[in-house]
Amino acid sequence: MFIMNTFLPMESSTFLVMVYDHYVAICHPLRYPSIITEKFVIYAAIFIVFRNLLATLPTPVLAARLNYCASNVVENCICANISVAKLSCGDIHLNKLYQFVSVWCLLGSDLVLILLSYCFILRAVMCLQSGGTATKALSTCGSHLILMLFFYTLLLVFIFTNKARKKVPSEVPILLNVLHHLIPPALNPIVYGVRTQEIKQGIIKILKYKF
């Protein structure tokens, strides 16, 4: 439970750092080498890990305080916080409240900052005189936008189907949960790999050799 709840917002935090990288590259290109340094990358990685570890730590603690006297079968394919808490005979309102607050504080704040960064990026792109430069600047963000849309769209659909659990089959939220944990990580190497010129040329070379 701790691992699953830690790594989900960690992916969101990674998207945030990546969009900041794009923001600096497009809005402050001359200052990019002095801002996005090796030290910045190390600090960003430490921030992502510790922020999510500390925010997720109360989740298993709150689950451990409950008295489990019902079924021992989790109605999910992963040890999701609320899925495990529902097996208890006690009051799980505190677990639900912390889940709600932590999700919106972590993922919600990341999403707001990402959208804000893209607003600044779009404003900077609109001010560019050359159409080719603007297209190149936007294409830099293409991969990031594709993965981010998959990540947040699946997450929002999963949240809404959980809220409307009585109106949808119980298997649907579970399936969406699986897709949300599998699709974005599976797409990462494909989307970024295809856009990397060296990898693209290597794939074309292999295909030509095979066929």
Side-chain angles (χ1 to χ4, degrees), residues 98-111 156 159:
Y98 187 78
Q99 175 89 348
F100 177 81
V101 172
S102 62
V103 165
W104 285 108
C105 284
L106 293 173
L107 302 183
S109 63
D110 288 347
L111 184 58
L156 288 171
I159 290 168

Side-chain angles (χ1 to χ4, degrees), residues 16-189:
L16 176 61
V17 174
M18 286 168 68
V19 79
Y20 179 71
D21 174 79
H22 295 327
Y23 164 75
V24 176
I26 293 168
C27 300
H28 305 284
L30 298 177
R31 294 177 59 198
Y32 184 87
S34 61
I35 296 173
I36 309 298
T37 59
E38 190 177 331
K39 187 182 285 188
F40 169 82
V41 174
I42 293 168
Y43 285 157
I46 292 169
F47 167 75
I48 289 171
V49 171
F50 277 95
R51 185 190 79 150
N52 294 303
L53 284 174
L54 292 173
T56 312
L57 193 59
T59 301
V61 174
L62 288 170
R65 72 182 176 85
L66 297 170
N67 181 29
Y68 295 92
C69 55
S71 170
N72 63 350
V73 179
V74 180
E75 289 185 8
N76 209 327
C77 57
I78 59 170
C79 288
N81 177 26
I82 303 303
S83 298
V84 174
K86 281 180 178 177
L87 300 179
S88 76
C89 305
D91 183 15
I92 63 168
H93 282 94
L94 187 59
N95 298 64
K96 287 183 175 180
L97 178 64
Y98 187 78
Q99 175 89 348
F100 177 81
V101 172
S102 62
V103 165
W104 285 108
C105 284
L106 293 173
L107 302 183
S109 63
D110 288 347
L111 184 58
V112 169
L113 291 170
I114 287 169
L115 292 174
L116 195 62
S117 298
Y118 270 115
C119 288
F120 286 122
I121 289 170
L122 282 171
R123 191 180 69 175
V125 169
M126 295 297 180
C127 296
L128 293 172
Q129 301 295 323
S130 170
T133 309
T135 306
K136 189 178 179 180
L138 287 174
S139 69
T140 307
C141 307
S143 306
H144 183 265
L145 275 169
I146 293 167
L147 294 171
M148 206 182 72
L149 282 170
F150 269 105
F151 180 83
Y152 284 105
T153 303
L154 280 170
L155 180 63
L156 288 171
V157 172
F158 171 64
I159 290 168
F160 288 129
T161 50
N162 258 317
K163 292 294 178 186
R165 190 175 279 273
K166 292 178 182 178
K167 298 179 182 178
V168 296
S170 59
E171 293 84 6
V172 173
I174 296 170
L175 175 63
L176 289 170
N177 204 356
V178 173
L179 293 175
H180 185 252
H181 282 82
L182 288 179
I183 290 178
L187 283 175
N188 272 326

